[in-house]
């Protein structure tokens, strides 16, 4: 069993850890799950941190990626709630899908067994891997699926953190640009105020000169007038 887990981990590790773009990473997870487990149907299901709802990010049928249905399920939906609480795989036979109310448009199944495996990273359920596998699920196969889901969750977590860091950097750059623009505008306004102040200062000096010249002229005229009057 340990060898089985190591083989899956090695394959997944080499295939996924080199990719940090979310969309490409999701495609890689689905393609490699199809190769390793050969399911009839597969869905990569994520949990929305804000609403707590689950949505299907990627789907494949018989090895081909298909558009996922644009539907969501509440976190209280019985199978998902059980997985979130127990953090354990849930194995369902095809007839049991009625009891678990798995909607056909979200989780198609033909034969064999269905396994819902939690994708856990940092002790938190990041999503669920849905597989409809032909035949009977052996203990070895279940451990392989669990190892694959866990490793995928860790890689997805890195991708989420990388995307958050990118978004943070973009937001930071926007703030820096806005602050720089604001400072530039303030500098322009300060320069305009300084120019107006210098113009006002020149005008005041000119007025002071004219006033002094007027006083000097009046004094001279007074001194001239006084002797003449005498």
């Amino acid at each position: 069993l340990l060898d089985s887990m190591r083989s899956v981990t090695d394959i997944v590790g080499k295939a996924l850890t080199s990719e940090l773009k979310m969309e490409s990473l999701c495609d890689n997870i689905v393609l490699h799950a199809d190769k390793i487990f050969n399911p009839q149907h597969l869905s990569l299901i994520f949990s929305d941190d804000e609403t707590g709802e689950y949505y299907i990010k990627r789907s494949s049928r018989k090895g081909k990626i298909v558009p996922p249905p644009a539907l969501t399920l509440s976190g209280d939906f019985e199978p998902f709630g059980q997985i979130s609480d127990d953090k354990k795989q849930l194995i369902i036979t095809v007839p049991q899908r009625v009891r678990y109310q798995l909607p056909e448009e979200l989780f198609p199944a033909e034969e064999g067994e269905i396994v819902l495996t939690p994708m856990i990273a940092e002790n938190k359920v990041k999503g669920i891997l849905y597989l409809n596998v032909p035949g009977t699920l052996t203990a070895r196969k279940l451990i392989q699926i669990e190892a694959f889901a866990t490793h995928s969750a860790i890689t997805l977590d890195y991708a989420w953190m990388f995307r958050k860091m990118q978004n943070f950097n973009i937001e930071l750059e926007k703030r820096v640009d806005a602050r720089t623009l604001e400072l530039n505008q303030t500098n322009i306004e300060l320069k305009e105020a300084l120019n107006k102040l210098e113009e006002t200062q020149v005008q005041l000096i000119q007025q002071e000169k004219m006033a002094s010249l007027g006083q000097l002229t009046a004094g001279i005229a007074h001194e001239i007038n006084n002797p003449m009057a005498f």
Side-chain angles (χ1 to χ4, degrees):
L1 291 178
L2 287 174
D3 290 341
S4 175
M5 288 181 67
R6 286 195 193 98
S7 65
V8 170
T9 303
D10 288 345
I11 293 170
V12 177
K14 291 175 183 177
L16 302 183
T17 50
S18 60
E19 181 60 69
L20 284 176
K21 292 181 180 178
M22 181 60 67
E23 301 305 319
S24 301
L25 180 58
C26 291
D27 288 339
N28 283 349
I29 289 173
V30 171
L31 290 172
H32 280 84
D34 278 326
K35 272 186 189 176
I36 297 169
F37 305 116
N38 193 29
Q40 297 182 74
H41 301 290
L42 178 153
S43 287
L44 190 60
I45 306 161
F46 288 165
S47 172
D48 190 314
D49 289 336
E50 294 181 1
T51 64
E53 291 182 325
Y54 286 90
Y55 63 95
I56 297 181
K57 181 69 175 177
R58 285 289 187 280
S59 287
S60 74
R61 294 190 181 185
K62 297 181 179 178
K64 293 183 179 179
I65 293 178
V66 295
L71 296 173
T72 58
L73 284 171
S74 167
D76 296 332
F77 182 58
E78 184 179 354
F80 293 173
Q82 182 175 331
I83 284 175
S84 298
D85 293 337
D86 298 342
K87 296 179 183 175
K88 295 179 181 178
Q89 288 175 317
L90 180 63
I91 296 95
I92 304 171
T93 62
V94 172
Q96 283 179 322
R97 60 181 292 110
V98 178
R99 177 247 184 272
Y100 283 98
Q101 298 178 344
L102 291 177
E104 183 70 26
E105 65 272 21
L106 288 180
F107 310 107
E110 295 178 3
E111 57 183 18
E113 291 185 323
I114 296 165
V115 58
L116 297 171
T117 305
M119 303 177 72
I120 301 171
E122 296 183 351
N123 203 31
K124 183 179 178 183
V125 177
K126 299 286 186 176
I128 296 170
L129 182 65
Y130 166 91
L131 294 172
N132 174 205
V133 182
T136 303
L137 287 162
T138 62
R140 179 189 179 92
K141 183 68 73 176
L142 289 172
I143 288 175
Q144 286 180 332
I145 294 171
E146 186 176 5
F148 179 90
T150 301
H151 202 96
S152 298
I154 294 169
T155 310
L156 284 168
D157 207 36
Y158 287 141
W160 272 313
M161 286 191 289
F162 180 71
R163 188 169 63 178
K164 282 182 181 178
M165 204 158 51
Q166 280 186 319
N167 292 338
F168 177 78
N169 288 336
I170 291 170
E171 184 63 28
L172 189 61
E173 286 176 3
K174 286 181 181 178
R175 290 184 183 181
V176 170
D177 290 342
R179 185 61 179 157
T180 303
L181 185 63
E182 185 181 339
L183 289 173
N184 289 339
Q185 185 63 32
T186 303
N187 286 336
I188 291 171
E189 291 173 358
L190 286 173
K191 284 181 181 178
E192 290 177 353
L194 183 61
N195 290 336
K196 287 180 181 179
L197 186 62
E198 289 175 349
E199 289 175 4
T200 303
Q201 189 177 14
V202 169
Q203 289 175 359
L204 288 173
I205 292 172
Q206 189 66 24
Q207 288 174 2
E208 188 66 28
K209 285 182 179 178
M210 294 302 292
S212 299
L213 183 60
Q215 288 177 357
L216 178 62
T217 304
I220 293 172
H222 178 70
E223 293 297 330
I224 293 172
N225 288 335
N226 280 343
M228 289 178 68
F230 175 77

